[in-house]
Amino acid sequence: MEENLQPQETSDNDRIIQVNIEEQMKTAYIDYSMSVIVGRALPDVRDGFKPVHRRVLFGMNELGNNSNKPYKKSARVVGDVMGKYHPHGDASIYDTLVRMAQQFSMRHVLVDSQGNFGTQDGDPPAAMRYTEVRLHRFAEAMLEDIEKDTVDFQPNFDDSLEEPTVLPTRIPQLLVNGSSGIAVGMATNMMPHNLGEAIDGCIAYIDNKEITAEELIQYVKAPDFPTGGTIYGMEGVRQALMTGRGRVVVRGKYHIETKQSGREQIVITEVPYQVGLDALTDKIGQLVNDKTIEGIAHVNNESNKREGTRIVVDLKRDGVANVIVNQLFKFTELQTSFGINNVAISKGRPRILNVRDLISEFVEFRMEVVIRRTKFELRKAEEKAHILEGYLKALDHLDEVIALIRGSRTPEEAKESLMTKSREEKWYLGQELFADLTSELYTQEEGLSDLQAKAILELRLQRLTGMERDKILEEFNELIKNIKRLKELLASEDLRYDLIKKELAEVKEKFGNPRRSEIQYLADEMRIEDLIEQEDVVITISHLGYIKRTSATEYRQQRRGGRGAIGSKTRQEDYVEHLFVASTHDTMLFFTEKGRCYWLKVYEIPEGEKQSKGRAIQNLIQIPSDDKVRAIIDVKKIDDKDFVNSHYIVLCTKKGIIKKTLLEDFSRPRANGVNAINIVEGDELLEARMTNGEDEIMLAIKSGRAIRFEESKVRPTGRGAIGVGGIEVDDETDEVIGMICVDKDDKEKTVLVVSEKGFGKRTAVDEYRITNRGGKGVKTISVTEKTGKLVGILDVTEKEDLIITCKSGITLRTAVNSIKAAGRATQGVKLIRLDEGDEIAAISKINEQEVIEEDGSISEEKVENADQPATDVENNNESTNDNNDTTQEPGEQENQ
């Protein structure tokens, strides 16, 4: 073998070098395979295109075949691209052009088409001489700024022209439209995704470069196919997003209809991606003929362009629809799986990429484009400013310029004379033009440069007028501002990222649309939050610490003054103390009278009927037996860092102590709870509210006084602090009964106060003057033996309902707008008629919503009185008590 490898001379002029054939083939095959991988079959991670797609779009752009121009014949586009950039045959170019125009192939089409471009049934497109195309606006966003030196160009196949190596896309095209291709020794199969989700992922990455692939899945949830369908199971999708390889199962969408004859039919309205409608229909028919599936009488493809996909499967009389659907999923392409293999060219090499890699590569490329575009615009602006500077100098020395030009024999001589004269006499513009400019921003030439002198000689005579000089000066000033902006952009990475985010948001606004493919989780991969329907529920907590959640619709609305309905079956000595509304996905913060804070998800609170007792709080959160919940706050975004760092928890005690702490201090749940406030002996926590730091705080006490002061008067302190004085409480028997926090710009809010014997009223917030914290406050209700002590204060609007809960368990829901406004000094009107010895225990508010019984009837525990005036209800009810009349005191507003 060694002898064969020695070079042999056959003549003086020829030399044959023998090589090892194995090595030669290996080298040649590697070169060939890399050529296929990089130059044909795999997309570039930056713009998401293979060379043929890039060349077609660039060729159309060079041809002027834009979205605002008339269509051009496809044959003309194909010929132009083939002759200039892609010498691989017209069929491959036209196939590419067709696919980019098919709405059932591309999540966002890149080519706007006219003519027959094929159908989802598998029908082929018309010949290229019959069809017409132009660029879609979506594709133009990928070509934008290509003329501004944003990307590198390379010679085309015959070195006669230049073509871009990549397009300066503003869109994460590879994520949005996906790609597929078979190279040598590797392949790619990337799924399309929703544009809005992809852009949200890019913005999340820009905001936090340390974000993980798992965290990005919150934004880029799953593929989004142009033909819709249902993604069945997320485990394979998560695997693909996190590793670059996975599997997605897609099912078609269907519904079951019943014909007039009583027979059922399965109507398929969406099929999985890349599944032909006729092929699916034929397959179902074949399975019926083979008796693989029984129970189907007839199948027909009724799809059309107007109504979209519609495949109708008629069932036999004994056919069970759900069984047949499952058989269709098993034996036909109504359920299809796609292997995800995210392989793309990154920095010249093929790489498997997860969702974070795809986004980071795109954002990195976008940053490069923005830098190159800014440098180009800066260069052009400085060149233009340089020319305008020459014009202004020439206009300042107009007579000398004209004399020099007239005295010159040739243009070249005139140019040299201008340059020499200006430098000798040191022509400069007035310093007022450059007063705010540093030498780094702009430095004017001494005299005239070669470029300026040449431009002056080409100046039109009309620009020598005074008005034209003002225009030139205005244009020069605008250019200087632009140069300053561009230099600031180049000097600040943060400004460039902000610009990228702004441009991405514009793309989302312009082209974004809702997700088409639904996501269906499997039982073993479902999160608890996904299983729980997000709805408003009423949370009730009794005096003895029993808690439950009930659907808000169970509380039927009644008129003011009504008898109410039994809201909770409690022990004789127990009553409902807290009642409020929250969403099932919210986090509840529980504050106890000893100043501790505990956490609980709303969906973790046991669901109970309206009349049920509920479950002891101690069984849900670890509250000591000698402590009890006094205040509850509903937090919707406890995981949002911006939210928890911009909101506060304001706490108040029965003795009038108030304290403010950043919500972030309460954003990390602990099983044993944390200290929220240090309570002094003899005092206890009464209320907690969440604020934005700029609210106004109002405290009310039993004896009927209230105080209003700005939240800024209370400085934020840590969880372990004691707090400061909020309102003065003189009498040992007196105490704070409630606190509200009011947005000072919210003019719709009024202050609602309720006394223990059922009297209440609304008063404008402005009637309570703003004072310093720690004062005595002003009168908020006229407290008499008839009204009883003040028991509650709320900030309400007329669009809300009031829920009143009595110690006996009776609950009344009434519209706030049925309670007329009254002055501070009045005692108000009767809101609810109480049985002897009963008192109001708690008041709460709820968004107004109409509640109707399904059968139109009322349960035995309710007394229908919604259609009667309040006074009639009192007269007609058997339990009417003479002491509960509604005779008004002097000064009380008429409201019955």
Side-chain angles (χ1 to χ4, degrees), residues 656-818:
I657 298 296
I658 191 164
K659 180 193 169 193
K660 182 168 78 171
T661 303
L662 196 64
L663 178 58
E664 201 273 337
D665 287 359
F666 298 99
S667 65
R668 291 173 290 279
R670 296 182 195 169
N672 296 325
V674 295
N675 265 340
I677 182 174
N678 274 342
I679 301 291
V680 298
E681 189 174 351
D683 198 3
E684 60 184 52
L685 182 68
L686 173 74
E687 187 61 89
R689 296 275 176 168
M690 186 165 65
T691 70
N692 60 10
E694 299 177 0
D695 288 348
E696 292 173 348
I697 297 172
M698 290 186 65
L699 301 174
I701 59 176
K702 257 188 184 179
S703 56
R705 285 188 286 117
I707 191 170
R708 175 187 174 203
F709 56 88
E710 293 176 347
E711 185 185 338
S712 57
K713 300 288 184 184
V714 185
R715 64 180 181 85
T717 55
R719 287 191 286 102
I722 295 175
V724 293
I727 188 171
E728 190 176 316
V729 182
D730 295 330
D731 192 349
E732 284 295 325
T733 61
D734 206 359
E735 63 185 32
V736 176
I737 53 89
M739 172 183 71
I740 59 174
C741 299
V742 185
D743 185 346
K744 55 189 172 187
D745 297 324
D746 191 348
K747 302 302 180 186
E748 293 186 6
K749 291 280 187 183
T750 53
V751 178
L752 174 69
V753 290
V754 178
S755 70
E756 61 187 0
K757 292 190 179 178
F759 284 80
K761 62 172 179 179
R762 289 188 296 128
T763 308
V765 176
D766 290 341
E767 289 203 26
Y768 299 86
R769 68 178 185 272
I770 296 179
T771 62
N772 283 326
R773 62 169 179 79
K776 286 182 175 290
V778 295
K779 194 173 190 178
T780 184
I781 191 170
S782 180
V783 172
T784 64
E785 186 178 342
K786 178 181 176 182
T787 62
K789 298 285 188 182
L790 194 62
V791 293
I793 180 171
L794 290 174
D795 53 318
V796 295
T797 68
E798 292 195 350
K799 294 180 181 178
E800 293 172 324
D801 286 356
L802 175 67
I803 294 182
I804 301 172
T805 306
C806 303
K807 292 184 179 180
S808 61
I810 293 290
T811 302
L812 172 77
R813 174 171 171 169
T814 187
V816 166
N817 60 14
S818 70

Side-chain angles (χ1 to χ4, degrees), residues 57-68:
L57 295 179
F58 179 68
M60 292 175 76
N61 190 55
E62 291 295 289
L63 199 58
N65 193 14
N66 300 102
S67 61
N68 57 352

Side-chain angles (χ1 to χ4, degrees), residues 43 84 130 166 290 322 335 352 355 367 375 404 486 535 544 550 599 656 695 770 818 841 893:
K84 291 180 177 178
Y130 298 118
V166 66
D290 295 343
N322 287 335
Q335 175 175 306
I352 297 174
V355 65
M367 175 64 82
K375 286 180 177 177
L404 281 170
L486 293 171
E535 62 170 343
L544 295 180
T550 311
W599 294 262
D695 288 348
I770 296 179
S818 70
Q893 291 193 14

